[in-house]
Amino acid sequence: MNEPTLVEMSEIDKSFSGNHVLQKVNFSVQPGEVHALMGENGAGKSTLVKVLTGIHPRDNGTITVKGKEVDFSHPKQAEKQGIVVIHQELNIIPHLTVTENMFLGKELSIGKTGILRKKDMHKQTLENLKRLGVDNIPPNETAGNLSVGKQQMIEIARAISTNAEMIIMDEPTAALTDREITSLFKVIESLRKQGVSIVYISHRMEEIFQICDRITVLRDGKSIGTEQIKETSFDAIVKMMVGRELGDRFPERSSVIGETLLEVKDLSREELFEGINFQVKEGEVLGVAGLMGAGRTEIMETIFGAAKKSKGQVLLDGKPLNVTHPRDAIRAGIGFITEDRKDEGLVLNLSIRENVALTNLKTVSKNGWISSSKESVLVDDLIEKLHVRTTGREQEVKSLSGGNQQKVVIAKWLGIQPRLLILDEPTRGVDVGAKKEIYNIINQLTEQGVAIIMVSSELPEILGVSDRIMVVHEGKVTQIFNKGEADQEKIMHAATGGE
Amino acid sequence: MKKKILNNLSQLGPLIGLIIIVIILGFTSDSFFTLNNILNLLRQISINALIAFGMTFVILTGGIDLSVGSILAFGSALTAGMLSSGMDPMLAVFIGLLAGLLMGAMNGLIITKGKVAPFIATLATMTIFRGATLVYTEGRPITGLSDSFSFEMIGKGYVFGIPFPVILMLIAFGVLFFILRNTVFGRQVYSIGGNEEASILSGIRADRVKIWVYSITGMLSVLAGIILTSRLNSAQPTAGTMYELDAIAAVVLGGTSLTGGRGWITGTLIGALIIGVLDNGLNLLNVSSFYQQIVKGGVILLAVVLDRRSK
């Protein structure tokens, strides 16, 4: 560590309308290191990044880049100093080609004529991608046709084409398949060797241990500490993040597994999955593992009536269940917590009350008239039961943190008193503390005899929570494990179609 | 709490705008604040307001209906035709309203089952319904309507000194206000406009709700047309041309978001009042109708810009 510090932020203060979101935060990055920035939702990670890149002006404190004090007022200025942010929501224009995206806003032209130097841009795009060790992205391909992982590579390549010295990645693996994660890590490794620093923001602890050199933890807007990854542990980091021991990561469950509730027979949907057979019993958690795009979500959508099956049967209590609309599934007591909270789970500009009531309109109304007292009682009960941190039921869900938004989605579905609850990636983008609360809710539900299907891409979660584990590969069930039979390797083996 | 007050303030914007315009007109024109003029003004806006109420529902679901003027024309012509052939006036009115409902349902079906964007779907039916009106009337006004008291009452009558169209408008307002605020249907309208996918996954039959919304709008448009027909004692094949624009303007002036999910019908009533007061006031001030259009457009633009600023 003899090299000069690349970025040094010290004693950073920032308030929003009286709310002190950053208090004397210190954060520094060395050249060529991968530095994890962790903390619960709302701990101040994104604000810190926004202060660094000049989106928010700081109230106090200093920022230096390579020893020189800076004061950015726009991300473009940060970019000129080699600091680039890659957001979770990628900045790719889907209708344009890879090359066009790569040179967006800095197209090469002949002099100042505006006539594009297409050949040169094509060549440079290839070079940029090559520098990342990526050779499977054709520069002429329309970006929208590429997988999320490849689109992300375009963004990274774009960053290094501007000679970025520090790339901040916000939840980069949230939407990636395992294979894509592996190639992302290879790219990060090669960037590190080229002396580029990475600030890595993620909730996935495994990844932090896999690729990071150091970690800084924020809690409630304060920097709790910076550690060498080699000298710390999972439990120590969690303790830094939540300020207390969290206990078991996956709480014990004492549910009694009962009768078969749902039986799926030979369920198929053209080109997506076929011949799906499985059962879920009352009080049981069936984990569904598989790579992204394997068809897990599609199977669940079909059971729920959000998409049409082409073949097969779904039985509930041994009787055929005919669903043509989610409404039918809901009436049968099936709830579905979708993967995409913002697009499919919530109406963001409505209040907590209105969102929770959405699935429960029948319960809170009589002859089409909503009883506001019944509605308030139902919503308040659920807010309390799930410990949603809010100013009250009238708060817009848009202004809640990720974990609390997820709790509102869960509240929506607990209101219908489901017999079967399908959870698709229930803890994505949710911090450790809220994760554990979600596992506790799953446990409580199973203790009441509710059957749970949990789709998840996080193997530790699948292994820690499920009673049985079903693995899906390219639209087919490759294996169903009983508790204790499976481990990460066996699941990955089945998920990649290995024999 | 603080946010709630702010929220209410931004909802008050249209009302404050209306009051300012009213005060200005009150100072510049002697005849503005006469009872006669105010009742006259309310009667004038009732037609636009009824259409705009329906439009509010449509826009709240994230849609738009360009065909309201043509639906108005066809419904009026049909009702007038039946009247002139001697049909019982109330039955004719009922069939006319039913026709409006069906034309609206057709819009709804094309949009939901045919998966056509509302703008395009209603642009097409706007032309179709207008054409159908011209075919039905052979391009000529239908006159010689019934001299039935009850039919004349609709457009020309008074109850306790209040014009009957104004009473119809207020009843419609009251009913629709409560539907939006207190019923399952109203809640579904907001949630579909806010996030259709999430609403469907919450078990809401979005297609059905939307078909109803367009149907109600069709029916309200014909109701407005029947008022117009009763007042003029004839049905014009070109009636209602460009009415969709005044209706959309009233909704937007009232603060309802064109992207759906956000808005209120009280705002639409205020919006219709703003447009009506401007029309009325500029007439009283003898402003040329050419300049009136410029002023009206300017006010709409100003209102929307101010609304953007406050958000």
Side-chain angles (χ1 to χ4, degrees), chain A residues 392-465:
Chain A
R393 67 174 109 87
E394 298 303 327
Q395 192 177 353
E396 275 188 18
V397 292
K398 195 165 42 185
S399 60
L400 295 172
S401 70
N404 279 303
Q405 285 183 348
Q406 186 67 332
K407 286 188 201 166
V408 173
V409 179
I410 297 175
K412 250 174 83 167
W413 291 106
L414 293 196
I416 70 162
Q417 301 186 321
R419 301 185 61 206
L420 167 69
L421 190 60
I422 305 170
L423 301 109
D424 195 355
E425 304 286 0
T427 63
R428 171 174 297 169
V430 163
D431 61 58
V432 226
K435 263 183 189 171
K436 187 157 179 197
E437 287 183 73
I438 290 172
Y439 300 143
N440 279 327
I441 294 165
I442 292 177
N443 284 357
Q444 282 165 22
L445 287 171
T446 51
E447 277 155 27
Q448 293 158 20
V450 177
I452 304 275
I453 301 177
M454 185 185 73
V455 177
S456 173
S457 297
E458 282 188 54
L459 289 180
E461 174 173 287
I462 284 273
L463 287 162
V465 178

Side-chain angles (χ1 to χ4, degrees), chain A residues 201-339:
Chain A
I201 304 175
S202 175
H203 286 304
R204 295 191 179 172
M205 208 72 86
E206 288 77 15
E207 297 175 354
I208 304 291
F209 283 98
Q210 210 176 327
I211 57 161
C212 296
D213 302 309
R214 288 199 300 163
I215 175 169
T216 294
V217 174
L218 298 184
R219 183 172 80 228
D220 301 329
K222 295 180 198 119
S223 34
I224 301 304
T226 300
E227 303 279 345
Q228 298 287 335
I229 283 290
K230 283 181 201 135
E231 292 160 14
T232 185
S233 67
F234 182 94
D235 290 328
I237 293 175
V238 171
K239 196 178 168 192
M240 283 167 83
M241 277 166 60
V242 294
R244 61 193 151 85
E245 303 272 357
L246 204 58
D248 283 340
R249 191 170 168 203
F250 302 106
E252 275 301 310
R253 179 163 64 238
S254 57
S255 69
V256 182
I257 294 178
E259 300 292 308
T260 298
L261 179 71
L262 183 91
E263 190 170 359
V264 174
K265 280 185 176 170
D266 196 29
L267 194 68
S268 307
R269 204 167 122 198
E270 252 147 60
E271 286 179 17
L272 288 169
F273 56 84
E274 76 176 299
I276 304 293
N277 289 293
F278 68 92
Q279 303 176 347
V280 199
K281 297 189 172 71
E282 288 170 346
E284 180 188 45
V285 179
L286 175 72
V288 181
L291 301 179
M292 204 151 307
R296 296 171 300 169
T297 299
E298 289 78 6
I299 296 171
M300 299 309 145
E301 281 171 357
T302 311
I303 295 173
F304 190 64
K308 261 194 196 136
K309 63 181 181 207
S310 57
K311 223 172 65 184
Q313 212 182 11
V314 177
L315 303 171
L316 192 76
D317 295 321
K319 283 180 239 98
L321 176 70
N322 277 318
V323 288
T324 54
H325 189 280
R327 178 188 163 92
D328 306 324
I330 293 167
R331 293 211 162 157
I334 302 176
F336 183 26
I337 295 175
T338 50
E339 179 179 11

Side-chain angles (χ1 to χ4, degrees), chain A residues 301 304 306 325-327 330-331 336 338 341-350 353-355 357-362 365 368-371 375 394 396 398-399 412-413, chain B residues 1-4 7 175 178-188 190-208 257 259-262:
Chain A
E301 281 171 357
F304 190 64
H325 189 280
R327 178 188 163 92
I330 293 167
R331 293 211 162 157
F336 183 26
T338 50
R341 195 160 53 228
K342 289 194 171 116
D343 287 340
E344 300 173 339
L346 294 167
V347 185
L348 289 174
N349 65 1
L350 293 186
R353 172 176 58 83
E354 288 160 311
N355 270 287
L358 223 49
T359 45
N360 300 295
L361 287 171
K362 228 181 148 207
S365 68
W369 287 76
I370 294 174
S371 150
E375 189 183 23
E394 298 303 327
E396 275 188 18
K398 195 165 42 185
S399 60
K412 250 174 83 167
W413 291 106
Chain B
M1 196 60 208
K2 204 168 157 191
K3 204 182 159 199
K4 211 161 191 182
N7 226 338
V175 171
F178 278 105
I179 287 181
L180 269 186
R181 249 180 104 104
N182 296 326
T183 68
V184 171
F185 180 75
R187 186 67 62 80
Q188 291 173 337
Y190 279 105
S191 73
I192 289 170
N195 186 342
E196 186 165 348
E197 187 66 27
S199 304
I200 294 171
L201 288 169
S202 298
I204 291 169
R205 285 177 289 191
D207 285 358
R208 188 178 291 211
S257 151
T259 50
R262 223 190 260 263

